[in-house]
Amino acid sequence: MTIKLVSWNVNGLRAVSAKEDWRWFTESDAQVVALQETKASPDQLPPSLREPQGWHGHWASSVVRKGYSGVAVFSRMPALSVRAELPDPAWQGEGRLLHLEFEKFHFFNGYFPNGGAEELDAQGRPTGRFVRVPYKMGFFDAFVRYAQLCRKTKPVVVCGDFNIAHRPIDLARPRQNEKNTGFLPEERAFLDSFTALGYVDTFRHVHGEEKDRYSWWSYKTRARARNIGWRIDYFFVSEELTPAIRDAWIEDQVYGSDHCPVGLELDI
């Protein structure tokens, strides 16, 4: 059976759904659609967005602040079980993770934390430290522990906005960003350790060292027109699923957000 999965950080579901670009969803032939940064809870949405016809809708929304973070999964396949958030309460409340168990694999949709603003010293000078990096790294560690636990029963697929460009090839200006969150040594080291555990970056598995392929571009600098971007949205699979990978792609022709969708096709 061939399964198509797609993932998109929509940067506000209510905003993007009002745009022509949302036809991407209505025209999708995927079995699973994962969204990040929905910035909405189900009770703020009309039924056509909350649970579109023909789909099972699942949500994890922020309870610490309205209109912040949030993930959703729409699936044409019924899940055996659904869990929102990580098991550890220390990493709950921001609506950053959904875990769906399907017959053949565990599926995770994550909007992983970003590093936040840079801290300033008493004189107002940048320190090179970022406010949310410790939380970000703790969240990643907790996620890996949970994923590895689930992996004992069946393979794992994880997608979403990781807020990390793994290698220099994954962003347009690596040298200029070595001291910026998203490309810090400790953040990149996490993805090194994650892949060392046997999680396969499916886009690189299919496309190798293909350059200039990104999934996020800054609105502030109008970077998309010049393709000055970062590849921070991923599909990883645990290595047991590597033989099932049929295709992986970046839909950089789809607009409506500062991110574009990414996709994966598996033959299960």
Side-chain angles (χ1 to χ4, degrees):
M1 180 175 66
T2 300
I3 298 174
K4 184 176 180 181
L5 310 103
V6 290
S7 170
W8 191 12
N9 179 322
V10 292
N11 192 14
L13 179 56
R14 285 171 291 182
V16 78
S17 65
K19 300 176 182 178
E20 179 66 19
D21 309 275
W22 187 238
R23 69 176 187 232
W24 171 87
F25 177 78
T26 59
E27 296 173 357
S28 176
D29 62 351
Q31 281 72 52
V32 178
V33 174
L35 305 178
Q36 303 89 43
E37 206 172 356
T38 56
K39 298 182 179 179
S41 56
D43 61 355
Q44 296 175 303
L45 301 169
S48 60
L49 280 179
R50 191 164 57 243
E51 187 151 5
Q53 186 173 2
W55 299 86
H56 303 279
H58 307 286
W59 298 83
S61 304
S62 171
V63 296
V64 297
R65 184 168 45 162
K66 285 283 189 181
Y68 172 72
S69 190
V71 291
V73 173
F74 300 118
S75 175
R76 301 186 198 271
M77 310 184 300
L80 301 179
S81 64
V82 180
R83 177 168 191 156
E85 306 274 22
L86 288 167
D88 187 337
W91 312 106
Q92 296 175 0
E94 295 189 0
R96 293 192 175 275
L97 193 76
L98 274 170
H99 169 207
L100 280 68
E101 182 183 352
F102 293 113
E103 181 184 359
K104 299 293 187 180
F105 58 92
H106 292 281
F107 178 77
F108 292 95
N109 173 27
Y111 175 42
F112 296 94
N114 65 41
E118 188 170 9
E119 295 179 357
L120 304 177
D121 65 16
Q123 285 73 46
R125 295 172 300 196
T127 63
R129 299 186 302 272
F130 292 83
V131 174
R132 291 272 283 177
V133 164
Y135 182 87
K136 178 178 186 174
M137 303 315 297
F139 190 99
F140 275 127
D141 289 344
F143 167 72
V144 171
R145 290 194 298 271
Y146 184 45
Q148 286 290 86
L149 183 64
C150 294
R151 190 180 175 187
K152 292 179 179 180
T153 62
K154 59 184 70 175
V156 167
V157 177
V158 53
C159 72
D161 177 0
F162 278 66
N163 270 304
I164 302 172
H166 189 188
R167 298 190 291 129
I169 195 174
D170 294 317
L171 70 168
R173 293 177 174 170
R175 191 171 300 174
Q176 296 94 317
N177 285 288
E178 288 176 347
K179 296 182 179 180
N180 288 329
T181 183
F183 200 58
L184 296 173
E186 60 265 42
E187 294 170 320
R188 298 168 60 197
F190 163 74
L191 286 183
D192 288 339
S193 64
F194 190 54
T195 54
L197 286 170
Y199 291 90
V200 177
D201 178 343
T202 59
F203 181 82
R204 288 288 169 222
H205 177 79
V206 173
H207 296 276
E209 300 296 291
E210 190 173 319
K211 297 180 179 179
D212 303 322
R213 301 302 310 275
Y214 310 122
S215 64
W216 175 81
W217 303 262
S218 171
Y219 274 151
K220 294 178 182 178
T221 59
R222 300 183 180 179
R224 193 161 186 173
R226 296 171 290 136
N227 200 29
I228 308 299
W230 299 50
R231 190 174 73 95
I232 58 176
D233 302 270
Y234 299 87
F235 266 98
F236 287 98
V237 299
S238 55
E239 60 190 356
E240 312 89 85
L241 280 176
T242 305
I245 299 170
R246 292 294 169 264
D247 197 8
W249 61 90
I250 297 173
E251 300 182 26
D252 50 14
Q253 77 285 358
V254 176
Y255 288 75
S257 169
D258 51 351
H259 296 249
C260 75
V262 298
L264 172 65
E265 187 173 82
L266 297 173
D267 189 3
I268 301 292

